[in-house]
Amino acid sequence: MLDDVDNGTHQHLSTMQALLLESEDIASFLQDFTELLTGRLTSADGHRWCAITLLRDRKAVTAVSSGPAARELDALQNSFTHGPCMTAIRENTVIRAGDLRTDGRWPQYQAAAVAQGVRSVLGMPFDLDDDARAGLNIYSDIPHDFDPEMIATIEFEKNLAADALRLAVRMAGQRESESDLRAAMESRTVIDLAVGIIMGQNRCSQEEAVSILKTASNHRNVKVRELATELVASVSSMPTRTAFES
């Protein structure tokens, strides 16, 4: 039994990894995830629709959805201040509305959703980053849908997607930091070379050479790095390289 669980987990991880690798950006990954989840929840019993809502600065917007019908249902939910999905995001907990025709917690939303054919709703908080709150929202035309086993399965899928997403965000942040560091090193290198050239040409100290470079930069209204690059290029046709480059 444990082997079966492990195999299932590895299979789901592989699927999420494949989605992440094949997606062009975070929005594409979330889009693919909602479509995949909707496909797995599809049955002959009725219809289920998935969407992910972002809540930022108290304003809710649909980030992605499994299709036009899901987007419309999510937009309907987001047009109300209170509802199962809004509650799930704000309280950071799983919210299940078994039958909106008899559930009295969100009367205004319930009446509008029932009119659109929605009977059950499942809302789950979805971890994206530190600045935004989000929720995975699943709508169903089946009364008393989403039993505990299905909820556990959906939460498992959602957690895998969230883990993959956080990893992607961290990797993107690391690449950006590395790029910024390399740019800073390259800038520092060309400025140091320019200062050395000025010291040789004017037989002055390093401090005086830096002052000359800054004065020329202000006078010409050109950034110090650009002026330094121009000066280095005037005495050498070879590109500048940092000490960290092989």
Side-chain angles (χ1 to χ4, degrees):
M1 179 66 71
L2 183 59
D3 290 339
D4 292 339
V5 173
D6 289 341
N7 289 335
T9 300
H10 290 318
Q11 181 179 2
H12 284 78
L13 281 170
S14 298
T15 301
M16 288 300 166
Q17 289 169 352
L19 281 182
L20 193 59
L21 291 173
E22 293 170 3
S23 300
E24 295 180 358
D25 51 32
I26 290 175
S28 297
F29 170 73
L30 292 175
Q31 178 69 49
D32 293 340
F33 167 68
T34 58
E35 293 176 0
L36 175 68
L37 185 58
T38 299
R40 287 180 172 167
L41 294 176
T42 297
S43 70
D45 299 333
H47 297 92
R48 300 184 181 100
W49 304 272
C50 299
I52 292 178
T53 288
L54 284 178
L55 184 62
R56 192 187 295 269
D57 296 329
R58 298 183 179 180
K59 183 178 180 180
V61 294
T62 301
V64 294
S65 63
S66 58
R71 179 167 291 275
E72 290 181 11
L73 293 176
D74 210 54
L76 176 66
Q77 160 79 129
N78 295 339
S79 67
F80 291 89
T81 303
H82 302 289
C85 301
M86 293 296 99
T87 303
I89 296 174
R90 292 191 179 104
E91 297 184 3
N92 194 36
T93 189
V94 176
I95 297 294
R96 174 183 178 270
D99 192 339
L100 289 178
R101 294 172 298 183
T102 57
D103 192 323
R105 287 176 286 181
W106 314 277
Q108 291 183 323
Y109 166 70
Q110 288 166 219
V114 169
Q116 295 297 317
V118 179
R119 296 295 177 263
S120 302
V121 179
L122 182 67
M124 286 186 178
F126 196 112
D127 297 329
L128 289 182
D129 56 42
D130 294 334
D131 300 322
R133 289 186 291 172
L136 171 63
N137 313 321
I138 305 177
Y139 306 92
S140 172
D141 61 5
I142 307 169
H144 304 290
D145 203 359
F146 311 116
D147 59 30
E149 183 177 355
M150 180 183 290
I151 292 174
T153 298
I154 294 171
E155 189 160 28
F156 176 73
E157 298 273 3
K158 184 262 299 184
N159 289 338
L160 286 180
D163 289 343
L165 189 60
R166 283 194 294 271
L167 176 60
V169 170
R170 284 199 297 269
M171 291 175 65
Q174 183 178 1
R175 288 194 296 269
E176 183 176 345
S177 297
E178 290 174 351
S179 177
D180 290 344
L181 178 60
R182 180 172 293 276
M185 289 191 300
E186 290 174 352
S187 178
R188 184 70 262 168
T189 297
V190 75
I191 291 173
D192 286 344
L193 288 173
V195 168
I197 292 171
I198 294 173
M199 290 172 64
Q201 291 176 341
N202 295 273
R203 298 183 181 279
C204 62
S205 66
Q206 181 181 13
E207 183 177 352
E208 290 171 328
V210 170
S211 178
I212 291 172
L213 184 62
K214 288 182 176 180
T215 300
S217 171
N218 293 331
H219 179 72
R220 293 179 53 181
N221 195 26
V222 177
K223 292 181 179 180
V224 172
R225 184 187 187 285
E226 294 177 2
L227 186 60
T229 300
E230 181 181 326
L231 178 57
V232 172
S234 70
V235 299
S236 175
S237 59
M238 298 295 291
T240 59
R241 301 175 68 89
T242 70
F244 298 91
E245 295 179 299
S246 57

